[in-house]
Every structure is written in structure tokens, then in C-alpha cells.
Coordinates of all heavy atoms in Angstrom, one line a residue:
M1 N 65.2 16.4 -227.2 CA 66.2 15.4 -227.8 C 67.6 16.1 -228.0 O 68.6 15.7 -227.5 CB 65.7 14.8 -229.1 CG 66.6 13.7 -229.6 SD 66.8 12.3 -228.4 CE 66.3 11.0 -229.4
T2 N 67.5 17.2 -228.7 CA 68.7 18.0 -229.0 C 69.4 18.4 -227.7 O 70.6 18.4 -227.5 CB 68.4 19.2 -229.8 OG1 67.9 18.8 -231.0 CG2 69.7 20.0 -230.1
T3 N 68.6 18.8 -226.7 CA 69.1 19.3 -225.4 C 69.8 18.2 -224.7 O 70.9 18.4 -224.2 CB 67.9 19.8 -224.6 OG1 67.2 20.8 -225.3 CG2 68.5 20.4 -223.3
V4 N 69.2 17.0 -224.7 CA 69.9 15.9 -224.1 C 71.2 15.5 -224.7 O 72.2 15.4 -224.0 CB 69.0 14.6 -224.1 CG1 69.7 13.4 -223.5 CG2 67.7 14.9 -223.3
L5 N 71.2 15.5 -226.0 CA 72.5 15.2 -226.7 C 73.5 16.2 -226.5 O 74.7 15.9 -226.3 CB 72.2 15.0 -228.2 CG 71.3 13.9 -228.6 CD1 71.2 13.8 -230.1 CD2 71.7 12.6 -228.1
E6 N 73.1 17.5 -226.5 CA 74.0 18.6 -226.2 C 74.6 18.5 -224.8 O 75.8 18.7 -224.6 CB 73.3 19.9 -226.4 CG 73.1 20.3 -227.8 CD 74.4 20.5 -228.6 OE1 75.3 21.2 -228.1 OE2 74.5 19.9 -229.7
R7 N 73.8 18.1 -223.9 CA 74.2 18.0 -222.5 C 75.3 16.8 -222.4 O 76.3 17.0 -221.7 CB 73.0 17.7 -221.6 CG 73.3 18.1 -220.2 CD 72.0 18.3 -219.4 NE 71.1 17.1 -219.5 CZ 69.8 17.1 -219.5 NH1 69.2 18.2 -219.5 NH2 69.1 16.0 -219.6
I8 N 75.0 15.7 -223.0 CA 76.0 14.6 -223.0 C 77.3 15.0 -223.6 O 78.4 14.8 -223.1 CB 75.4 13.4 -223.7 CG1 74.2 12.8 -223.0 CG2 76.5 12.3 -223.9 CD1 73.4 11.8 -223.8
R9 N 77.2 15.7 -224.8 CA 78.4 16.1 -225.5 C 79.2 17.1 -224.6 O 80.4 16.9 -224.4 CB 78.0 16.8 -226.8 CG 79.2 17.5 -227.4 CD 78.7 18.4 -228.5 NE 78.3 17.7 -229.7 CZ 79.2 17.2 -230.6 NH1 80.4 17.4 -230.5 NH2 78.7 16.5 -231.7
R10 N 78.5 18.0 -224.0 CA 79.2 19.0 -223.2 C 79.9 18.3 -222.0 O 81.0 18.7 -221.6 CB 78.2 20.1 -222.7 CG 78.9 21.5 -222.7 CD 77.8 22.5 -222.5 NE 76.9 22.6 -223.6 CZ 75.6 22.8 -223.5 NH1 75.1 23.0 -222.3 NH2 74.8 22.9 -224.6
R11 N 79.2 17.4 -221.4 CA 79.7 16.7 -220.3 C 81.0 16.0 -220.6 O 82.0 16.2 -219.8 CB 78.7 15.7 -219.8 CG 79.2 14.9 -218.6 CD 78.1 14.0 -218.1 NE 78.6 12.7 -217.6 CZ 77.9 11.6 -217.7 NH1 76.7 11.6 -218.1 NH2 78.4 10.5 -217.2
Y12 N 81.1 15.3 -221.7 CA 82.3 14.6 -222.0 C 83.4 15.6 -222.5 O 84.6 15.4 -222.2 CB 82.1 13.5 -223.0 CG 81.5 12.3 -222.3 CD1 80.2 12.0 -222.6 CD2 82.2 11.7 -221.4 CE1 79.6 10.9 -221.9 CE2 81.6 10.6 -220.7 CZ 80.3 10.3 -220.9 OH 79.8 9.3 -220.2
E13 N 83.0 16.6 -223.2 CA 84.0 17.5 -223.8 C 84.6 18.3 -222.6 O 85.7 18.8 -222.8 CB 83.4 18.4 -224.8 CG 83.1 17.6 -226.1 CD 82.6 18.5 -227.2 OE1 82.2 19.6 -226.9 OE2 82.6 18.0 -228.4
T14 N 83.9 18.5 -221.6 CA 84.4 19.4 -220.5 C 85.0 18.6 -219.3 O 85.8 19.1 -218.5 CB 83.3 20.3 -220.0 OG1 82.2 19.6 -219.5 CG2 82.9 21.3 -221.1
T15 N 84.5 17.4 -219.1 CA 84.9 16.7 -217.8 C 85.8 15.5 -218.1 O 86.4 15.0 -217.1 CB 83.7 16.2 -217.0 OG1 83.0 15.2 -217.7 CG2 82.8 17.4 -216.7
D16 N 85.8 14.9 -219.3 CA 86.5 13.7 -219.5 C 87.7 13.9 -220.5 O 87.7 13.3 -221.6 CB 85.5 12.6 -220.0 CG 86.0 11.2 -219.7 OD1 87.1 11.1 -219.2 OD2 85.3 10.3 -220.0
K17 N 88.6 14.7 -220.1 CA 89.7 15.0 -221.0 C 90.9 14.2 -220.8 O 91.8 14.2 -221.7 CB 90.1 16.5 -220.9 CG 89.0 17.5 -221.2 CD 89.5 18.9 -220.9 CE 88.4 19.9 -221.4 NZ 88.9 21.3 -221.1
K18 N 91.0 13.6 -219.6 CA 92.3 13.0 -219.3 C 92.3 11.5 -219.6 O 91.4 10.8 -219.2 CB 92.5 13.2 -217.8 CG 93.9 12.7 -217.4 CD 94.2 13.1 -215.9 CE 95.5 12.6 -215.5 NZ 95.8 12.9 -214.0
C19 N 93.3 11.1 -220.3 CA 93.5 9.7 -220.7 C 93.8 8.9 -219.5 O 94.8 9.2 -218.8 CB 94.6 9.6 -221.8 SG 95.0 7.9 -222.2
P20 N 93.1 7.8 -219.3 CA 93.3 7.0 -218.1 C 94.6 6.1 -218.3 O 95.2 5.6 -217.3 CB 92.1 6.1 -218.0 CG 91.5 6.1 -219.4 CD 91.9 7.4 -220.0
D21 N 95.0 6.0 -219.5 CA 96.2 5.1 -219.8 C 97.5 5.9 -219.6 O 98.4 5.4 -218.9 CB 96.2 4.6 -221.2 CG 95.2 3.4 -221.3 OD1 94.5 3.1 -220.3 OD2 95.1 2.8 -222.4
C22 N 97.6 7.1 -220.2 CA 98.9 7.8 -220.1 C 98.8 9.1 -219.4 O 99.8 9.7 -219.1 CB 99.4 8.0 -221.5 SG 98.5 9.2 -222.5
G23 N 97.6 9.5 -219.0 CA 97.5 10.8 -218.3 C 97.5 12.0 -219.1 O 97.4 13.1 -218.6
Y24 N 97.5 11.9 -220.4 CA 97.5 13.0 -221.3 C 96.2 13.7 -221.2 O 95.1 13.1 -221.2 CB 97.7 12.5 -222.7 CG 97.7 13.7 -223.7 CD1 98.9 14.4 -224.0 CD2 96.5 14.0 -224.4 CE1 98.8 15.4 -224.9 CE2 96.5 15.0 -225.3 CZ 97.7 15.8 -225.6 OH 97.6 16.8 -226.5
V25 N 96.2 15.1 -221.1 CA 95.0 15.8 -221.0 C 94.7 16.5 -222.4 O 95.5 17.3 -222.8 CB 95.1 16.9 -219.9 CG1 93.8 17.8 -219.9 CG2 95.3 16.3 -218.5
D26 N 93.7 16.1 -223.0 CA 93.3 16.6 -224.3 C 92.4 17.8 -224.1 O 91.2 17.7 -224.0 CB 92.6 15.5 -225.1 CG 92.2 15.9 -226.5 OD1 92.6 17.1 -226.9 OD2 91.6 15.2 -227.2
E27 N 93.1 19.0 -224.2 CA 92.3 20.2 -224.0 C 91.3 20.5 -225.1 O 90.3 21.2 -224.9 CB 93.3 21.4 -224.0 CG 94.2 21.4 -222.8 CD 93.5 21.6 -221.4 OE1 92.3 22.0 -221.5 OE2 94.1 21.3 -220.4
E28 N 91.5 19.9 -226.2 CA 90.5 20.0 -227.3 C 89.2 19.2 -227.1 O 88.2 19.6 -227.6 CB 91.1 19.6 -228.7 CG 92.4 20.4 -229.0 CD 92.1 21.8 -229.3 OE1 91.1 22.1 -230.0 OE2 92.8 22.7 -228.9
G29 N 89.4 18.2 -226.3 CA 88.2 17.4 -226.0 C 87.6 16.8 -227.3 O 86.4 16.9 -227.6
N30 N 88.5 16.1 -228.0 CA 88.1 15.6 -229.3 C 87.2 14.4 -229.3 O 87.6 13.3 -229.8 CB 89.3 15.3 -230.2 CG 90.1 16.6 -230.5 OD1 89.5 17.6 -231.0 ND2 91.3 16.7 -230.3
W31 N 86.0 14.5 -228.8 CA 85.1 13.4 -228.8 C 84.3 13.4 -230.1 O 83.8 14.4 -230.5 CB 84.1 13.5 -227.6 CG 84.7 13.2 -226.3 CD1 85.4 14.1 -225.5 CD2 84.8 12.0 -225.7 NE1 85.8 13.4 -224.4 CE2 85.5 12.1 -224.4 CE3 84.3 10.7 -226.0 CZ2 85.7 11.1 -223.6 CZ3 84.5 9.6 -225.1 CH2 85.2 9.8 -223.9
E32 N 84.3 12.2 -230.7 CA 83.5 12.0 -231.9 C 82.2 11.4 -231.5 O 82.2 10.5 -230.7 CB 84.2 11.0 -232.8 CG 85.3 11.5 -233.6 CD 86.0 10.4 -234.4 OE1 85.3 9.4 -234.7 OE2 87.2 10.6 -234.8
S33 N 81.1 11.8 -232.2 CA 79.9 11.1 -231.9 C 79.3 10.5 -233.2 O 79.5 11.0 -234.3 CB 78.9 12.1 -231.3 OG 78.6 13.1 -232.3
R34 N 78.7 9.4 -233.0 CA 78.0 8.8 -234.1 C 76.8 8.1 -233.6 O 76.7 7.7 -232.5 CB 78.9 7.8 -234.9 CG 79.4 6.7 -234.2 CD 80.5 5.9 -235.0 NE 81.4 5.2 -234.1 CZ 81.1 4.0 -233.6 NH1 80.0 3.3 -233.9 NH2 82.0 3.4 -232.8
T35 N 75.8 7.9 -234.5 CA 74.6 7.2 -234.1 C 74.0 6.4 -235.2 O 74.2 6.7 -236.4 CB 73.6 8.3 -233.6 OG1 72.4 7.6 -233.2 CG2 73.2 9.2 -234.7
D36 N 73.4 5.3 -234.8 CA 72.7 4.5 -235.8 C 71.2 4.7 -235.7 O 70.4 3.9 -236.2 CB 73.1 3.0 -235.7 CG 72.7 2.4 -234.4 OD1 72.1 3.1 -233.6 OD2 73.1 1.3 -234.1
G37 N 70.8 5.7 -234.9 CA 69.4 6.0 -234.7 C 68.8 5.3 -233.4 O 67.8 5.8 -232.9
R38 N 69.5 4.3 -232.9 CA 69.1 3.7 -231.7 C 70.1 3.9 -230.6 O 69.7 3.9 -229.4 CB 68.9 2.2 -231.9 CG 67.7 1.9 -232.9 CD 67.7 0.4 -233.2 NE 67.7 -0.4 -232.0 CZ 68.0 -1.7 -232.0 NH1 68.3 -2.3 -233.1 NH2 67.9 -2.4 -230.9
R39 N 71.3 4.0 -231.0 CA 72.3 4.2 -230.0 C 73.2 5.4 -230.4 O 73.4 5.7 -231.6 CB 73.2 3.0 -229.8 CG 72.5 1.8 -229.2 CD 73.5 0.7 -229.1 NE 74.0 0.4 -230.5 CZ 75.1 -0.3 -230.7 NH1 75.8 -0.8 -229.7 NH2 75.6 -0.4 -231.9
L40 N 73.7 6.1 -229.4 CA 74.7 7.2 -229.6 C 76.0 6.8 -229.0 O 76.0 6.3 -227.9 CB 74.2 8.5 -228.9 CG 75.1 9.7 -229.0 CD1 75.2 10.2 -230.4 CD2 74.6 10.7 -228.0
V41 N 77.0 6.8 -229.8 CA 78.3 6.4 -229.3 C 79.3 7.6 -229.3 O 79.5 8.2 -230.4 CB 78.9 5.3 -230.2 CG1 80.3 4.8 -229.7 CG2 78.0 4.1 -230.2
Y42 N 79.9 7.8 -228.2 CA 80.9 8.9 -228.1 C 82.3 8.1 -228.1 O 82.4 7.2 -227.3 CB 80.8 9.7 -226.9 CG 79.9 10.9 -227.2 CD1 78.6 10.9 -226.9 CD2 80.5 12.1 -227.8 CE1 77.8 12.0 -227.2 CE2 79.7 13.1 -228.1 CZ 78.3 13.1 -227.8 OH 77.6 14.2 -228.1
R43 N 83.2 8.6 -228.9 CA 84.5 7.9 -229.0 C 85.6 8.9 -228.9 O 85.5 10.0 -229.5 CB 84.5 7.2 -230.3 CG 85.7 6.3 -230.5 CD 85.4 5.4 -231.7 NE 86.5 4.5 -232.0 CZ 87.5 4.8 -232.8 NH1 87.5 6.0 -233.5 NH2 88.5 4.0 -233.0
H44 N 86.6 8.6 -228.2 CA 87.8 9.5 -228.1 C 89.0 8.7 -228.3 O 89.2 7.6 -227.7 CB 87.8 10.1 -226.7 CG 88.9 11.1 -226.5 ND1 90.2 10.7 -226.0 CD2 89.0 12.4 -226.8 CE1 91.0 11.7 -226.0 NE2 90.3 12.8 -226.4
V45 N 89.9 9.2 -229.1 CA 91.2 8.5 -229.3 C 92.3 9.5 -228.7 O 92.4 10.6 -229.1 CB 91.5 8.2 -230.8 CG1 92.8 7.6 -231.0 CG2 90.4 7.3 -231.4
C46 N 93.0 8.9 -227.8 CA 94.1 9.7 -227.2 C 95.1 10.1 -228.2 O 95.7 9.3 -228.9 CB 94.7 9.0 -226.1 SG 96.1 9.8 -225.3
P47 N 95.4 11.4 -228.4 CA 96.4 11.9 -229.3 C 97.9 11.4 -228.9 O 98.8 11.4 -229.8 CB 96.4 13.4 -229.3 CG 95.2 13.7 -228.5 CD 94.8 12.5 -227.6
S48 N 98.0 11.1 -227.7 CA 99.3 10.7 -227.2 C 99.6 9.2 -227.3 O 100.7 8.8 -227.8 CB 99.5 11.2 -225.8 OG 100.7 10.8 -225.2
C49 N 98.7 8.4 -226.9 CA 99.0 6.9 -226.9 C 98.0 6.1 -227.7 O 98.1 4.9 -227.7 CB 99.0 6.4 -225.4 SG 97.4 6.3 -224.6
D50 N 97.1 6.8 -228.3 CA 96.1 6.1 -229.2 C 95.1 5.2 -228.4 O 94.4 4.4 -229.0 CB 96.8 5.3 -230.3 CG 97.3 6.1 -231.4 OD1 96.9 7.3 -231.5 OD2 98.3 5.7 -232.1
A51 N 95.0 5.3 -227.1 CA 94.0 4.6 -226.4 C 92.6 5.1 -226.8 O 92.4 6.3 -227.0 CB 94.2 4.8 -224.9
T52 N 91.7 4.1 -226.9 CA 90.4 4.5 -227.3 C 89.4 4.3 -226.2 O 89.4 3.3 -225.5 CB 89.9 3.6 -228.5 OG1 90.8 3.7 -229.6 CG2 88.5 4.0 -229.0
R53 N 88.6 5.3 -226.0 CA 87.5 5.2 -225.0 C 86.2 5.4 -225.7 O 86.0 6.2 -226.7 CB 87.6 6.3 -224.0 CG 88.7 6.1 -223.0 CD 88.8 7.2 -222.0 NE 89.4 8.4 -222.6 CZ 89.3 9.6 -222.1 NH1 88.6 9.8 -221.0 NH2 89.9 10.6 -222.7
E54 N 85.2 4.6 -225.3 CA 83.9 4.8 -225.9 C 82.8 4.8 -224.8 O 82.9 4.1 -223.8 CB 83.6 3.6 -226.8 CG 84.1 3.8 -228.2 CD 83.5 2.7 -229.2 OE1 82.7 1.8 -228.7 OE2 83.9 2.8 -230.3
H55 N 81.8 5.6 -225.0 CA 80.6 5.6 -224.2 C 79.4 5.5 -225.1 O 79.3 6.1 -226.1 CB 80.5 6.9 -223.4 CG 81.6 7.2 -222.4 ND1 81.7 6.5 -221.3 CD2 82.7 8.0 -222.5 CE1 82.8 6.9 -220.6 NE2 83.4 7.8 -221.3
T56 N 78.5 4.5 -224.7 CA 77.4 4.3 -225.5 C 76.1 4.6 -224.8 O 76.0 4.3 -223.6 CB 77.3 2.8 -225.9 OG1 78.5 2.4 -226.6 CG2 76.1 2.5 -226.9
F57 N 75.2 5.3 -225.4 CA 73.9 5.7 -224.8 C 72.8 5.1 -225.7 O 72.9 5.2 -226.9 CB 73.8 7.2 -224.8 CG 74.9 7.9 -224.0 CD1 76.0 8.3 -224.6 CD2 74.7 8.1 -222.6 CE1 77.1 8.9 -223.8 CE2 75.7 8.7 -221.9 CZ 76.9 9.0 -222.5
N58 N 71.8 4.6 -225.0 CA 70.6 4.2 -225.8 C 69.7 5.4 -226.0 O 69.4 6.1 -225.0 CB 69.9 3.1 -225.0 CG 70.7 1.8 -225.0 OD1 71.2 1.4 -226.0 ND2 70.8 1.2 -223.8
L59 N 69.3 5.6 -227.2 CA 68.3 6.7 -227.5 C 66.9 6.2 -227.4 O 66.6 5.0 -227.8 CB 68.6 7.2 -228.9 CG 70.0 7.8 -229.2 CD1 70.1 8.1 -230.6 CD2 70.3 9.0 -228.3
K60 N 66.1 7.0 -226.8 CA 64.7 6.6 -226.7 C 63.9 7.0 -228.0 O 64.1 8.2 -228.4 CB 64.1 7.2 -225.5 CG 64.8 6.8 -224.2 CD 64.2 5.5 -223.7 CE 65.0 4.8 -222.7 NZ 65.0 5.3 -221.4
Ligands
ZN1 ZN1 96.7 8.3 -223.6

């Protein structure tokens, strides 16, 4: 379980840095994660234009 979550986190923090709206590249990769026990939600707010991106994963 931890391994899967770590892999997802790493994937977004390392590959999904560029804002699709303004093109700002967030080198910090400030993805926030939260979970309600059934779903894992990764959320990123662009520091430049405040565009929000979310990715939701169902936890088994
Ligand atoms: Zn942006």
C-alpha cells in the first residue's frame, strides 16, 4: 500500500509540474494529498495563476 502511494506521489511530483493554463513550471511540485480512506486525491494549485488540478484514485 505504502509503495503504491509513494509511487503515485513521486509520479506527480516529478512529471506533472507544468500548469496547463499558464505554462508555469512548479519546480517544487507542491502536490497535496488527502484521503477519506476510500479515495486518494492529489491536488495542485498553480502558484502563478491559481488554476487547480486534481487527480483522484480509488483505494482498494
Ligand atoms: Zn498556472
Side-chain angles (χ1 to χ4, degrees):
M1 188 58 124
T2 301
T3 305
V4 173
L5 297 184
E6 284 298 312
R7 202 161 56 213
I8 293 170
R9 171 191 285 278
R10 215 168 298 143
R11 176 173 145 212
Y12 283 112
E13 288 184 347
T14 58
T15 68
D16 203 355
K17 295 177 178 180
K18 189 175 180 181
C19 175
D21 284 4
C22 71
Y24 179 86
V25 177
D26 184 2
E27 293 295 345
E28 300 294 317
N30 291 309
W31 287 87
E32 280 176 23
S33 63
R34 61 189 156 85
T35 180
D36 60 9
R38 294 171 56 196
R39 290 176 310 161
L40 175 70
V41 180
Y42 270 96
R43 186 165 179 271
H44 180 271
V45 179
C46 176
S48 180
C49 73
D50 286 336
T52 302
R53 284 181 286 160
E54 272 191 4
H55 295 286
T56 304
F57 300 89
N58 290 314
L59 300 175
K60 299 274 164 77

